[in-house]
Amino acid sequence: MDTTQHTGLLAIERLFAAARVQGRTAFLPYFPIGYPTYDESLAIIRALAAAGVDGFEIGIPFSDPLADGPTIQAATQIALENGITVRRCLDAVRTLRAEGVVQPMLLMGYLNPLLAYGLEDFVRDARAAGADGLIVPDLPPEEAELLASACEQAGLALILFLAPTSSPDRIALVARAARGFIYLVSVAGVTGARANLPPDLAAFIERVRAQTAKPLVLGFGISQPDHVRQLHGRIDGFIVGSALVKAAQSGADAVRDLAASLHAATGAS
Amino acid sequence: MIQAKNPMHVDAAHLPDARGHFGEFGGRFVPETLVPALDELTAAFHAAMADPAFQAQYSELQASYTGRPTPITFARRLTEHLGGAQIYLKREDLAHTGAHKINNALGQALLAQRMGKPRIIAETGAGQHGVASATAAALLGQECHVYMGSVDMARQRPNVFRMQLLGAEVIPVESGTRTLKDAITEAIRDWVTNVENTYYLMGSALGPHPYPLMVRTFQSVIGIEARQQMLEQTGQLPDVCIACVGGGSNAIGLFHAFRDDEAVDLVGVEAGGRGIASGEHAARFADPNMGRPGVLHGTRSFVLQDSDGQIMNTHSVSAGLDYASVGPEHAYLRQMERATYTLATDDEALHAFQMLCQLEGIIPALESSHAVAEAIRRAPTLPHDAIVLVNLSGRGDKDLDTVLKALE
């Protein structure tokens, strides 16, 4: 086994290579810093790390999260009431690294708090804190030039999105520009646990797959081990957010249990 | 075929560029799901503008249904009372539904029909845009859902009933500050979810491209008419044009026709609420600490935000101006020094409201009262032959409860 500790874009690329070798779908949980409290959010992320997840999306709270459904909206609102700032989220990454969390971490936040911090400063400080990539849901590639070049210089992955509504031209554009992986939004809509995967999902994944060999990670609406099993072999990774945040209402144990059952579903059945 | 008398045209001589940028402002900052929908909307808008049949249909409705052109009124007693410049009012309060919002709502509802989208959603602050959208949807047989903050619903009851009477569903928004900001956020969430069959009828010159361009184009009728009317009635252009600025659609509609008339001062009036020092206001340009360039609701403009980039709560006595950001073209006009922006406090707006009632027999909307307040401040400093044109963007029947409470 390769024991070299890679960072940044390289760490993200290796995550998918490793999962592929093991015949698994990579599991990238989302969790926001500051919910239910700062300390508890870190405890939950440590527990997920111990459960063997493949990487993290670390949520930075924003007052107007327009791509998020009610669960994440409410949780990040509480995080803001707990005094969470961008700086505090970077502290969290630094602390988690110091405590031995080794999996790749991507910071996920809306654009305005990052602009207020200063994009270049943010990229530098995120890298220094130990983050490997950024996900900015309200920043399409056309507007991403500055952030993309700052990330490129720092060796961080700036993740781009595709949606079921994306045209073939757009799929080609994102396939060319993507770093690390492409975030596929499973359904037109906001984040939130859903009972079933959408029926046209397979066709959407195939449309993208036809244009790129880059890792594809599916998010929005995935909440159950059965969803993960259905996706096996079709995608490289998946993101679960709202279901974990909801589980956190019942405590860290509930999060760990859900994560373990999702993780158990990542292999070939 | 009937030709439109005053065809709207997409003004290509001025910004935005093809990607919706006004210099460093504007653009398109939205989740990926909406990008194809915005591309489709942009193409459909330009195709409609180039289609004489669409122009004729819009123009005919604006004449026979909205009641355009709206007149300009010389405010004789107000002018005499102030003893300075002559004050003229562009009477958008006389447009059907009682505000300028109908110009844009009709244009976009026709566009939705043309695009085959049967379901209309809209956001509203004061309720004027919601009423205009509900009206256009009733006229064209469309399904209409209006998002409105529950705080705004409480202070604009008559407009809530009006929308319901017109067959629209008013959806209360309980998240965040429960005002216009949160209504827009909820409308965007609805759109992202139902984008296949839904048209988002945005009411102000805000949001991602092409909305600021589209709203300006449909509202530019205000300035086109006013400019012509001033020349006909006074033989000259006004020295100053004044309009209130929430998102800024009535202001951009007035200003646009005067853009190249360099001698005409363009003045936007923001909501000063309880004063800048109080922190309770919606003056994006006037607050040096909290008002900074940022991104909210898909566009880059001036945004009231804290040091961490979280969007601030705003306050104004007028629901229609109670918003943390401002149309990107206003940020650009200010940066280019083509327009200046000032503010009127709640008290100044209420004072202006009463003066216009008592001296002119016109009950203005509280939003428009902010523009009147600036005219009241400015007219006495100008010579008698100077002309001030105020956009009276709406009528104040909807505000009677608020004014009654404020005056108690």
Side-chain angles (χ1 to χ4, degrees), chain A residues 169-202:
Chain A
D169 284 356
R170 264 197 98 66
I171 294 174
L173 170 92
V174 167
R176 259 197 319 276
R179 294 285 182 273
F181 64 86
I182 300 173
Y183 190 138
L184 302 187
V185 177
S186 72
V187 58
V190 292
T191 61
R194 291 171 177 83
N196 299 302
L197 294 176
D200 50 0
L201 184 60

Side-chain angles (χ1 to χ4, degrees), chain A residues 136-240:
Chain A
V136 187
D138 55 349
L139 187 66
E142 289 86 346
E143 302 284 359
E145 253 167 67
L146 183 63
L147 189 58
S149 76
C151 284
E152 196 73 30
Q153 276 178 27
L156 286 186
L158 177 63
I159 303 305
L160 301 180
F161 288 79
L162 283 170
T165 52
S166 302
S167 65
D169 284 356
R170 264 197 98 66
I171 294 174
L173 170 92
V174 167
R176 259 197 319 276
R179 294 285 182 273
F181 64 86
I182 300 173
Y183 190 138
L184 302 187
V185 177
S186 72
V187 58
V190 292
T191 61
R194 291 171 177 83
N196 299 302
L197 294 176
D200 50 0
L201 184 60
F204 168 45
I205 294 170
E206 273 164 38
R207 279 204 305 281
V208 180
R209 186 54 92 200
Q211 296 212 40
T212 182
K214 288 177 182 165
L216 304 182
V217 173
L218 192 73
F220 285 39
I222 302 165
S223 61
Q224 300 163 17
D226 191 44
H227 295 160
V228 179
R229 276 189 287 271
Q230 286 174 50
L231 293 166
H232 186 80
R234 294 150 117 185
I235 51 159
D236 302 280
F238 65 97
I239 294 164
V240 176

Side-chain angles (χ1 to χ4, degrees), chain B residues 181-199:
Chain B
K181 166 175 87 87
D182 312 285
I184 295 177
T185 301
E186 279 313 313
I188 292 174
R189 288 190 182 120
D190 179 317
W191 197 33
V192 97
T193 306
N194 301 297
V195 64
E196 288 298 324
N197 75 338
T198 296
Y199 184 96

Side-chain angles (χ1 to χ4, degrees), chain A residues 61-69 73 77 80 84-87 111-117 137-143 145 161-167 170 174 185 187-190 194, chain B residues 19 21 26-37 39 175-176 181-182 185-186 188-190 192-196 292-298 300 303 305-312:
Chain A
F62 180 49
S63 53
D64 295 79
L66 52 78
D68 284 304
Q73 225 181 106
Q77 188 57 42
L80 288 175
I84 299 303
T85 60
V86 173
R87 213 166 289 280
L111 184 58
N112 201 56
L114 310 189
L115 287 173
Y117 193 99
D138 55 349
L139 187 66
E142 289 86 346
E143 302 284 359
E145 253 167 67
F161 288 79
L162 283 170
T165 52
S166 302
S167 65
R170 264 197 98 66
V174 167
V185 177
V187 58
V190 292
R194 291 171 177 83
Chain B
R19 281 164 50 188
H21 292 134
R28 203 184 254 182
F29 298 87
V30 293
E32 177 63 27
T33 308
L34 290 180
V35 173
D39 282 340
S175 56
K181 166 175 87 87
D182 312 285
T185 301
E186 279 313 313
I188 292 174
R189 288 190 182 120
D190 179 317
V192 97
T193 306
N194 301 297
V195 64
E196 288 298 324
R292 296 192 310 277
V295 167
L296 178 64
H297 293 142
R300 187 163 192 278
V303 180
Q305 53 187 311
D306 69 12
S307 59
D308 201 46
Q310 307 298 339
I311 308 307
M312 298 295 290

Side-chain angles (χ1 to χ4, degrees), chain B residues 354-392:
Chain B
Q354 289 169 282
M355 273 185 94
L356 206 66
C357 289
Q358 288 161 17
L359 292 174
E360 297 296 337
I362 296 170
I363 301 176
L366 278 173
E367 289 76 14
S368 321
S369 300
H370 287 70
V372 176
E374 177 62 21
I376 290 170
R377 190 159 42 202
R378 199 173 281 242
T381 70
L382 296 170
H384 292 281
D385 59 354
I387 295 178
V388 172
L389 174 64
V390 176
N391 196 14
L392 203 69

